[in-house]
Amino acid sequence: MRVNVIEKEVIDPLAETAAEKIKLSYIPKKINKITYFDNTKPNADVILSTIKENIDIDSIDAEKPAGDGATDEQMKEAKKGDVIILALGDCGSCTTWIILDAIKLEKEGKPTICICTHKFTDYAYSLAKAQGAEDLRIVEIEHPIAGLKAEEVKVKTLKIIPEIKKLLNIN
C-alpha cells in the first residue's frame, strides 16, 4: 500500500479576536428555579433529568434545536429560571450553539452552565474565549453520549453532579 502524506497549514477559525469581554452573570445564593435547556441531542434529556433528580430545586424544562440557535420564544422560556443548564455539546454544531446561546443568556443577565463532552470542551472554551466569555461555566462529561443506553448515560452524569452542585453553591 502506498500512502502520500501532504502537510497543509490549517487556519483556526477561532483565532484571536477583539471581542469585548463579557462579564458573566452571578449565580444567586437562593435559586428558586433552574431551567433545563435541552437541545434534543440523543441522551441530552437523560443528562438533564439525572441532574434534576439529584438537585432538589424547582425546575423548568425548555427545548431548542441542536444545530441552530434558540428562537426568541425558546430563549424567553429558558429565561424563566434563575439559572439555565444547557445540554448537550457533543459535536461541532451543537457545541457551537450551546455556547452561543449561553453567551446570549449571560449577556441578558442569566447565569448558565453548559455541558459538553470531553472531546468538545477545548473547542467550547476556545469559542467562548473568542466571543469574550472565557470564564463561561462549562462542565465536561465523558464522550460519547449518543448511542448509549440511558443507564450508561446516568452513570456518566452522576460523575458531574458534584461539580454542578459546586457551581450552584449547593451541597
Side-chain angles (χ1 to χ4, degrees):
M1 172 165 48
R2 182 179 152 104
V3 177
N4 188 14
V5 177
I6 299 172
E7 288 189 34
K8 297 238 179 200
E9 183 177 356
V10 177
I11 298 173
D12 182 356
L14 300 175
E16 293 297 318
T17 65
E20 187 175 318
K21 185 157 173 79
I22 297 165
K23 186 175 180 182
L24 295 186
S25 303
Y26 291 104
I27 292 180
K29 291 191 186 308
K30 172 73 171 127
I31 300 170
N32 295 310
K33 288 191 185 219
I34 296 174
T35 297
Y36 293 93
F37 210 1
D38 181 350
N39 71 346
T40 66
K41 287 289 292 195
N43 287 322
D45 59 334
V46 176
I47 292 169
L48 294 171
S49 65
T50 303
I51 295 168
K52 191 186 319 183
E53 291 166 5
N54 287 275
I55 295 177
D56 190 26
I57 296 176
D58 286 341
S59 63
I60 297 165
D61 294 322
E63 281 190 0
K64 63 174 273 0
D68 200 358
T71 65
D72 290 341
E73 193 61 37
Q74 291 162 340
M75 287 296 231
K76 183 179 176 183
E77 185 65 21
K79 288 190 280 188
K80 291 179 181 179
D82 300 314
V83 177
I84 299 102
I85 299 177
L86 300 94
L88 168 72
D90 71 344
C91 76
S93 62
C94 63
T95 301
T96 298
W97 287 110
I98 287 283
I99 299 303
L100 294 178
D101 285 339
I103 290 170
K104 187 173 182 182
L105 289 161
E106 292 282 351
K107 286 180 177 179
E108 295 179 19
K110 289 296 183 173
T112 64
I113 298 171
C114 301
I115 301 172
C116 297
T117 65
H118 79 276
K119 297 264 185 176
F120 290 89
T121 52
D122 285 348
Y123 168 69
Y125 281 116
S126 294
L127 177 59
K129 182 179 180 183
Q131 296 294 314
E134 67 181 299
D135 297 326
L136 193 67
R137 298 170 203 93
I138 300 170
V139 174
E140 183 177 294
I141 191 167
E142 184 185 345
H143 189 88
I145 297 297
L148 298 180
K149 293 181 176 150
E151 282 307 312
E152 295 170 301
V153 176
K154 286 180 183 183
V155 168
K156 290 182 179 193
T157 304
L158 290 172
K159 293 176 185 176
I160 67 169
I161 300 285
E163 184 177 357
I164 292 170
K165 285 183 173 183
K166 183 177 179 182
L167 289 169
L168 296 172
N169 300 310
I170 59 176
N171 297 328

